[in-house]
Amino acid sequence: MAQVKATQPKFLSPIDGSPASPSSGAVAGNTNSYVATASGNPFETLEEEEIFSKRKMTLNVPSNSSGDLQHLVVAKNWLVCLLTAQGRYHLLRFFLPRAIPPGQLALEKYLTGYKISNIFLDPTGHHLIISLLPKSAGVSADFLYVHCTETPKAQQLKVRRIEKFKDHEITAVAFNTYHGNESTTGSVLLGTSRGLIFETELGATIDTQRKQLYDLGLGLTKYPINGLEVLRVPNSNRWIIVSATPDVIYSFEGTLRPEERSLQPLFTSYVNGEREPNCEKQMTDLSYSMLRFFAPPNSKYPKQWAWLCGAGIRIGELSIDANSNATLLGDTLINLDFEKVKHLSYEERRINVPKSFVLTEYHAVLLYADHIKAVCLLNQEQVYHEVFDEVRVGKLLNIERDVATGSIYVYTDKAMFTLKITREERNIWRIYLNKGQYELATAHAAEVPENLQLVLAQRADAAFKDGAYEVAANYYAETEETFEKVCLKFMILTDKRPIINYVMKRLSKLTMGGVETTTGTGNVAANTEENQEADAVKSGIVKALIIWLIDLYLTQINLPGKDKAWRESWQLEYDEFMHEPAVLSCTSRHRTAVQQLIGQHADPHNLAQFAISISDYEEVIGQQLKADRYAEALQTLTKQRDLNLYYKYAPQLMEHLPKPTIDALMAQGSKLEVAKVVPTLVVMDTEEQREQVMRYLEFAVYKLNTTNDAIHNFLLHIYAKYEPKLLMIYLENQGRDESLVHYDIHYALKVCTELNVKVACVFLQCMLCMWTTAVDLALQFDMQLAKQTAQKPQDEETKRILWLRIAYHDIKGTNDVKKALSLLDECKLLRIEDLLPFFSDFEKIDNFKEAICKALQEYNERIQSLHKEMSESREHSEVVCKELRQLRSHNIGIESSSVCDICDLILLAKPFFVFICGHKFHSDCLEKQVIPILSKERSRLTMLKQEMETLMAQTIALATHTPEQQKKRSDLKTEIEEILAADCFYCGLLIETIDQPFVDDWDQVNVEWE
């Protein structure tokens, strides 16, 4: 059983190795720690031969607290014991993993007229309940509550009497592990000697009123509750209360809301009579029973339960189903032969009836008056027996198990022992194996290969005997049985599935594991030769197994008298087998032998599939085409990866399977070079072939985005000849920019002209700016298209000329005034005077009166608008001139206390700039702020500064200042200042960059912040 290492409290300091002061007492000894085993280490893990081994523990009891042990409990490595001597009662609390002084508490003043019947410790080790019984009549039963705390220097034990439970003897306590902590017990259940179940909550500052939840005794004066437990099903709100009396075990279950801390709602339906608790009654001559649970360390929900009753020990599991009505599952009974001791004397019965027991994962450890023994839960065999000499070690009192760590403690009135458990699961696999529970036996034997081999071999034999041959084959493959022996067993069977499964698994083991090699100094050559020989042997075995499997599969596939479903099933499995990497590698190396074997079975389909598997696709496709099996040839072509085979065989396949062939080409997508597919696309003898060619060309243009002119011209030609409507869609998608289209515009115009696709001709002529020709052509069949075409030129004069041609075509010879006026509305570039020449000289002027007046009015409005604009321009110029005159006399005063608006230092200390807005900056401060914001001017500024530095260096070197140098220096300085001080930093530059992000490179910022 796995044990969990206890967590050391934060206040504890490491052991410094200094010896502790010796002390005396009934269970004291001279050691260097407060708790130790006989060997000096309480947590030694040396493996013993026996499952259970007893080790004596020595408590270093303080000199003022010696005496005989009366009671002991352990929880989470906190050990609490009660010592008695000459009417004195000392309560001691030890922390087992570390040598720290124990907590001490004297109880004499609380026990006047009482004796202690039992003590109960909560799972945290911080709450202790002491049950008291009166020594004489007239005194009521009572109990004490002790709250334990720790500080870095000492432990504190505070005791108080709980008056509200007067007259109730506490016989069982169920601490709530889900709500309790070191400060409070949470809702704790108390069972009494009269069968009552109470609820309360205890703590350092908490003492709630008692609540009676249920009455199991129904008025009896003596009906003790011997066991009580509170459980919650994992991942649910379902709660379970288990209670045991001498002859009955009860279970209550119900659902509580997550926020509810009290367990009272769970009992409401039982108290009201709506439900009855689940119970099991057992006839007994015992005056007590015991309830125990086993949970793996760090698990709050038990895995098993056990009830010591009149029939023996009943064992089972607990339900983990939140919706199940059953709680206590299973009903295994460990018979303790109570019937045989029923008529014995009291002393003899005392020796033969267990006083207490604890539960481990696979065993029950029972404590008798003078010995302890351990019984396996699975086969009820005794695995351990230890006799305690009462004269030497004292009278056996009880046995306890720490739920948190799994440690077991046995104590007498003179000594205390630990019961070490060493791999209690070591023989569990054999028990399950003997019972025929092979799944459990396999799981428990998995860690020891020898045990696992025994389990698998027996399991395989049993399956073969029962006729489950496939199951047997799977298990034989995992054993070390000889290959020949197993094969002979299966070869006599008519069904070949078991032998195939067995050989397949053996092959898998060979191909997964490599040949072990060893190298060492001085014998590298010898090892290399041995490895090569071993590899050759292994390769031969693998080859034999694979060829045998191929033969078995082909025999099953071509077995006479079988239906199509049978063959398809075996074929599918055979295909999967042949595509396994190890099989593919082997068959590729030995292709001749495999081809001969498949040929012997006269199976052309699998022969072709094998050729595919070894990548000999060209031969396969050629044979299929010669046999006119075009569909198979196309399927083979699609399975291979050599693109050259598509270019080679697609034209021939296109003649017979147009759509599937194009589907295959499209499936390859951009992997194929579209230009090389053109020989396939010229096959357009039938309408279906033409449609499929068009489909592929559309795929190449719209999906693959090919820019090949030949492909575009080809598609354009097909559209013009067969699908003029699609041609216009294509032309629109390509756009009207001559430089961006992927087809030859002149070629397209020639094709459309020859095929008389007039709309497309107009479109293409527009792209070539042949506006007059396009309009003239459009006028032949579509006046609206002509008008749309006339609107497209950017040059207004050209546009006006085109509209005049439309007007001439529309009006000449008709003298239709309404058409003329409508043209004026459609084109604003035309005037009435442009249209008048198209009418006859004898047309009445009255028909144009309104249009002429409207034109004159527009001229007048335009003249007035120009006059107004000229007047506004004159006024603006006068305002600007006035402002310029004012600026000539504008000045700004600089005081000696003026500071730079950037660095807040005295402005006059360095060269500076002053802007008309009033902001003032040092020239160097302004330069630091402006340069990062500059874009185009930054490189120019850098160049100017370099020139200035070069000029200054020359001046210093020559020690002369020529007028040319001074002028050049002045020009450079002026240009630099014009860049830096072009605008105020605050009023201009920052405002212009307000839409720019504060950080340009967030990746760099994240790296810096990390």
Side-chain angles (χ1 to χ4, degrees):
M1 181 181 65
Q3 295 193 4
V4 176
K5 185 176 180 181
T7 303
Q8 178 181 347
K10 295 181 179 179
F11 68 86
L12 294 178
S13 58
I15 299 176
D16 57 5
S18 59
S21 301
S23 59
S24 60
V27 291
N30 292 332
T31 66
N32 61 350
S33 64
Y34 286 90
V35 182
T37 62
S39 61
N41 185 353
F43 298 100
E44 283 184 342
T45 57
L46 294 176
E47 183 172 324
E48 303 290 342
E49 292 184 0
E50 296 184 357
I51 295 176
F52 294 94
S53 58
K54 180 189 69 174
R55 293 188 177 187
K56 187 175 182 181
M57 288 183 65
T58 302
L59 294 180
N60 210 4
V61 179
S63 58
N64 60 345
S65 301
S66 61
D68 293 338
L69 265 172
Q70 185 178 358
H71 293 282
L72 182 146
V73 286
V74 186
K76 209 172 183 179
N77 274 325
W78 289 104
L79 184 147
V80 179
C81 60
L82 182 66
L83 304 180
T84 64
Q86 300 176 355
R88 293 179 300 161
Y89 294 86
H90 298 281
L91 190 69
L92 300 178
R93 182 172 181 260
F94 297 86
F95 186 64
L96 299 180
R98 287 289 181 268
I100 62 172
Q104 304 180 51
L105 181 64
L107 297 177
E108 296 86 3
K109 63 179 180 178
Y110 301 98
L111 301 180
T112 304
Y114 289 97
K115 61 180 179 180
I116 297 176
S117 64
N118 210 341
I119 63 176
F120 307 92
L121 184 63
D122 85 304
T124 69
H126 288 76
H127 306 280
L128 184 72
I129 292 177
I130 303 175
S131 177
L132 304 179
L133 287 179
K135 292 181 178 179
S136 59
V139 181
S140 301
D142 203 350
F143 83 81
L144 303 177
Y145 165 68
V146 181
H147 183 236
C148 311
T149 57
E150 309 89 24
T151 64
K153 296 182 179 179
Q155 299 187 47
Q156 297 179 358
L157 307 182
K158 296 182 179 180
V159 62
R160 57 192 175 94
R161 190 183 301 276
I162 308 300
E163 300 290 345
K164 60 190 176 185
F165 283 93
K166 280 283 188 181
D167 198 33
H168 290 286
E169 178 190 351
I170 306 301
T171 57
V173 177
F175 290 99
N176 192 330
T177 59
Y178 306 95
H179 294 158
N181 53 47
E182 296 181 2
S183 301
T184 175
T185 61
S187 56
V188 58
L189 300 185
L190 305 176
T192 71
S193 59
R194 296 204 295 265
L196 300 176
I197 299 177
F198 291 98
E199 180 186 43
T200 188
E201 184 172 0
L202 304 172
T205 59
I206 298 175
D207 187 7
T208 61
Q209 294 297 320
R210 74 178 191 186
K211 301 175 184 176
Q212 181 175 326
L213 302 184
Y214 202 76
D215 184 1
L216 296 175
L218 298 176
L220 296 176
T221 58
K222 194 66 176 177
Y223 194 69
I225 295 177
N226 302 124
L228 197 59
E229 192 76 16
V230 177
L231 305 171
R232 187 180 70 185
V233 178
N235 304 317
S236 73
N237 294 323
R238 183 181 176 226
W239 291 74
I240 300 171
I241 310 297
V242 184
S243 176
T245 61
D247 59 345
V248 183
I249 183 170
Y250 300 87
S251 63
F252 306 82
E253 60 90 17
T255 302
L256 298 178
R257 294 192 302 271
E259 66 272 11
E260 283 184 320
R261 294 179 60 86
S262 173
L263 300 174
Q264 186 173 13
L266 188 146
F267 288 88
T268 302
S269 60
Y270 296 101
V271 173
N272 295 338
E274 300 173 6
R275 302 170 64 188
E276 291 291 334
N278 296 321
C279 64
E280 178 185 343
K281 191 168 184 178
Q282 184 68 51
M283 297 299 294
T284 180
D285 289 332
L286 301 178
S287 60
Y288 63 92
S289 71
M290 300 191 106
L291 183 63
R292 294 288 185 266
F293 293 87
F294 170 78
N298 293 332
S299 175
K300 292 185 178 181
Y301 193 72
K303 178 182 178 183
Q304 298 178 96
W305 63 274
W307 179 40
L308 174 62
C309 57
I313 299 180
R314 304 191 77 85
I315 301 170
E317 298 180 346
L318 279 88
S319 171
I320 59 173
D321 185 0
N323 300 319
S324 174
N325 293 324
T327 301
L328 304 178
L329 307 177
D331 193 13
T332 302
L333 176 66
I334 298 179
N335 191 355
L336 300 179
D337 295 328
F338 286 158
E339 291 293 329
K340 294 182 180 180
V341 301
K342 183 186 298 184
H343 305 294
L344 298 178
S345 65
Y346 172 78
E347 185 62 27
E348 291 173 331
R349 291 181 64 187
R350 187 181 69 86
I351 296 175
N352 290 280
V353 175
K355 298 169 60 177
S356 181
F357 80 102
V358 295
L359 195 63
T360 69
E361 188 171 6
Y362 299 107
H363 298 86
V365 185
L366 291 81
L367 180 136
Y368 293 81
D370 61 350
H371 68 280
I372 60 174
K373 70 176 183 178
V375 179
C376 180
L377 302 178
L378 300 178
N379 60 3
Q380 303 184 20
E381 292 185 3
Q382 179 176 302
V383 298
Y384 173 71
H385 185 271
E386 183 80 31
V387 177
F388 286 75
D389 185 358
E390 185 172 339
V391 176
R392 187 169 59 87
V393 298
K395 178 182 178 182
L396 270 176
L397 296 180
N398 205 348
I399 183 170
E400 294 286 343
R401 178 177 177 270
D402 188 344
V403 177
T405 64
S407 302
I408 298 176
Y409 303 87
V410 181
Y411 65 96
T412 69
D413 58 351
K414 302 296 183 184
M416 184 172 64
F417 304 87
T418 60
L419 201 60
K420 183 183 177 183
I421 305 175
T422 305
R423 291 182 55 242
E424 67 169 324
E425 73 282 358
R426 68 180 72 172
N427 296 321
I428 299 301
W429 67 273
R430 189 179 297 278
I431 297 173
Y432 284 127
L433 183 62
N434 294 336
K435 289 184 174 183
Q437 298 178 351
Y438 298 114
E439 290 291 344
L440 294 173
T442 304
H444 286 81
E447 295 183 359
V448 182
E450 295 81 3
N451 298 342
L452 182 60
Q453 284 296 316
L454 290 174
V455 173
L456 293 174
Q458 186 169 331
R459 189 172 187 179
D461 291 339
F464 190 88
K465 185 177 180 181
D466 293 340
Y469 300 117
E470 292 186 32
V471 176
N474 292 334
Y475 290 126
Y476 275 128
E478 301 296 329
T479 66
E480 296 177 354
E481 291 282 354
T482 59
F483 182 79
E484 296 82 359
K485 179 180 178 181
V486 177
C487 288
L488 288 173
K489 280 189 172 186
F490 291 113
M491 285 299 294
I492 61 176
L493 301 176
T494 305
D495 184 9
K496 300 304 178 184
R497 169 63 66 188
I499 187 66
I500 289 176
N501 288 355
Y502 174 71
V503 177
M504 185 79 73
K505 284 187 174 291
R506 292 299 298 263
L507 176 63
S508 298
K509 293 175 70 174
L510 281 173
T511 54
M512 289 176 61
V515 179
E516 295 184 2
T517 59
T518 57
T519 58
T521 306
N523 61 353
V524 175
N527 285 333
T528 302
E529 186 176 347
E530 292 176 3
N531 293 340
Q532 291 176 350
E533 183 178 352
D535 286 342
V537 172
K538 178 183 175 182
S539 178
I541 295 173
V542 170
K543 173 189 173 184
L545 293 179
I546 290 176
I547 292 182
W548 188 19
L549 281 170
I550 293 174
D551 182 53
L552 289 171
Y553 272 122
L554 292 177
T555 301
Q556 295 300 109
I557 293 172
N558 299 292
L559 200 64
K562 297 299 180 180
D563 57 12
K564 182 179 179 183
W566 166 278
R567 291 193 296 273
E568 288 180 351
S569 174
W570 281 102
Q571 183 67 52
L572 179 62
E573 187 174 336
Y574 171 75
D575 292 340
E576 293 177 355
F577 167 71
M578 293 297 289
H579 283 87
E580 291 181 3
V583 177
L584 197 59
S585 174
C586 179
T587 53
S588 297
R589 293 194 303 270
H590 307 286
R591 61 181 63 188
T592 303
V594 175
Q595 287 174 335
Q596 290 176 354
L597 176 61
I598 299 175
Q600 291 173 3
H601 283 273
D603 193 336
H605 170 73
N606 284 309
L607 186 62
Q609 292 298 316
F610 177 67
I612 293 173
S613 67
I614 60 176
S615 302
D616 192 4
Y617 296 103
E618 188 169 4
E619 179 65 23
V620 174
I621 297 173
Q623 292 179 1
Q624 291 170 337
L625 290 177
K626 288 179 182 179
D628 295 334
R629 299 201 304 269
Y630 300 107
E632 294 181 17
L634 180 59
Q635 185 178 9
T636 304
L637 180 64
T638 56
K639 289 181 179 179
Q640 58 87 38
R641 297 182 180 181
D642 187 359
L643 299 180
N644 291 321
L645 297 184
Y646 281 91
Y647 307 136
K648 181 176 181 180
Y649 293 110
Q652 189 174 351
L653 291 170
M654 186 69 182
E655 295 179 6
H656 303 278
L657 302 172
K659 186 177 185 305
T661 303
I662 293 300
D663 289 340
L665 295 176
M666 292 173 64
Q668 295 300 315
S670 59
K671 296 179 183 178
L672 294 174
E673 295 182 30
V674 181
K676 292 184 179 181
V677 185
V678 170
T680 304
L681 305 179
V682 298
V683 181
M684 293 190 298
D685 298 332
T686 65
E687 183 178 355
E688 183 184 5
Q689 291 172 343
R690 183 170 63 251
E691 291 176 354
Q692 296 306 317
V693 168
M694 190 183 306
R695 186 162 72 94
Y696 183 78
L697 291 174
E698 290 173 345
F699 171 76
V701 170
Y702 295 118
K703 298 296 183 181
L704 302 182
N705 298 318
T706 181
T707 58
N708 190 301
D709 290 352
I711 301 300
H712 282 265
N713 290 337
F714 192 8
L715 178 61
L716 186 145
H717 186 276
I718 295 176
Y719 277 154
K721 189 173 183 179
Y722 302 105
E723 296 290 345
K725 293 182 179 179
L726 295 179
L727 173 61
M728 290 309 302
I729 297 174
Y730 167 78
L731 294 175
E732 291 290 350
N733 289 336
Q734 287 290 302
R736 299 175 181 274
D737 189 339
E738 184 179 357
S739 61
L740 298 180
V741 297
H742 300 299
Y743 56 87
D744 187 335
I745 299 178
H746 296 280
Y747 170 79
L749 182 59
K750 177 178 178 296
V751 170
C752 292
T753 302
E754 291 175 353
L755 297 175
N756 197 29
V757 186
K758 296 181 179 180
V759 178
C761 290
V762 172
F763 183 92
L764 296 170
Q765 289 169 352
C766 290
M767 291 186 64
L768 295 172
C769 296
M770 300 168 61
W771 302 111
T772 303
T773 307
V775 170
D776 290 343
L777 179 59
L779 287 173
Q780 295 177 13
F781 65 93
D782 191 343
M783 174 60 72
Q784 190 63 32
L785 177 61
K787 293 178 179 180
Q788 293 174 359
T789 304
Q791 286 291 107
K792 292 177 180 179
Q794 300 296 324
D795 181 24
E796 291 189 355
E797 183 60 28
T798 303
K799 189 183 297 185
R800 181 173 174 276
I801 292 172
L802 296 177
W803 274 99
L804 287 175
R805 296 182 73 84
I806 294 173
Y808 178 81
H809 179 273
D810 207 21
I811 298 172
K812 191 66 175 179
T814 64
N815 294 329
D816 192 337
V817 177
K818 291 184 179 181
K819 286 186 178 181
L821 295 179
S822 64
L823 286 175
L824 291 177
D825 293 334
E826 292 182 50
C827 180
K828 302 302 180 182
L829 299 177
L830 295 180
R831 297 289 180 266
I832 187 61
E833 58 269 28
D834 297 329
L835 303 183
L836 289 177
F838 300 150
F839 291 91
S840 65
D841 296 336
F842 302 100
E843 186 70 25
K844 292 183 180 181
I845 195 66
D846 292 344
N847 295 331
F848 303 98
K849 180 178 179 181
E850 184 177 349
I852 294 173
C853 291
K854 183 177 179 181
L856 294 175
Q857 184 178 357
E858 289 177 355
Y859 288 144
N860 184 56
E861 290 175 356
R862 179 60 180 164
I863 293 171
Q864 294 297 328
S865 175
L866 292 174
H867 277 299
K868 185 177 180 181
E869 290 177 2
M870 293 172 60
S871 177
E872 290 176 355
S873 298
R874 184 171 57 255
E875 292 176 0
H876 287 314
S877 64
E878 291 176 357
V879 171
V880 171
C881 292
K882 183 178 179 181
E883 290 178 353
L884 289 174
R885 287 194 298 270
Q886 291 176 352
L887 285 175
R888 290 193 184 97
S889 60
H890 183 73
N891 60 78
I892 298 175
I894 303 298
E895 299 180 358
S896 60
S897 60
S898 297
V899 296
C900 173
D901 288 330
I902 295 176
C903 66
D904 289 335
L905 298 178
I906 299 300
L907 184 67
L908 300 177
K910 293 187 288 185
F912 60 88
F913 292 99
V914 179
F915 293 89
I916 194 169
C917 59
H919 287 115
K920 302 175 283 295
F921 309 102
H922 287 135
S923 59
D924 56 347
C925 294
L926 182 63
E927 183 177 348
K928 291 179 182 178
Q929 299 295 326
V930 170
I931 287 178
I933 300 176
L934 295 176
S935 55
K936 299 179 180 179
E937 297 86 353
R938 185 183 300 181
S939 58
R940 175 62 179 166
L941 179 62
T942 302
M943 184 180 66
L944 293 173
K945 292 178 70 175
Q946 290 175 352
E947 291 183 7
M948 177 67 81
E949 291 174 359
T950 303
L951 182 60
M952 293 295 293
Q954 292 176 355
T955 303
I956 294 172
L958 298 175
T960 58
H961 300 277
T962 62
E964 293 78 6
Q965 290 177 336
Q966 292 180 356
K967 183 178 184 305
K968 186 175 181 181
R969 177 182 175 186
S970 177
D971 293 341
L972 291 173
K973 181 179 179 183
T974 300
E975 191 170 355
I976 292 172
E977 290 177 350
E978 286 178 353
I979 294 175
L980 294 176
D983 200 355
C984 175
F985 177 65
Y986 286 156
C987 299
L989 293 177
L990 286 182
I991 294 175
E992 292 175 358
T993 60
I994 195 170
D995 59 338
Q996 297 181 5
F998 290 111
V999 177
D1000 293 327
D1001 190 355
W1002 278 107
D1003 293 337
Q1004 181 63 29
V1005 172
N1006 291 332
V1007 171
E1008 293 175 355
W1009 285 356
E1010 289 177 357

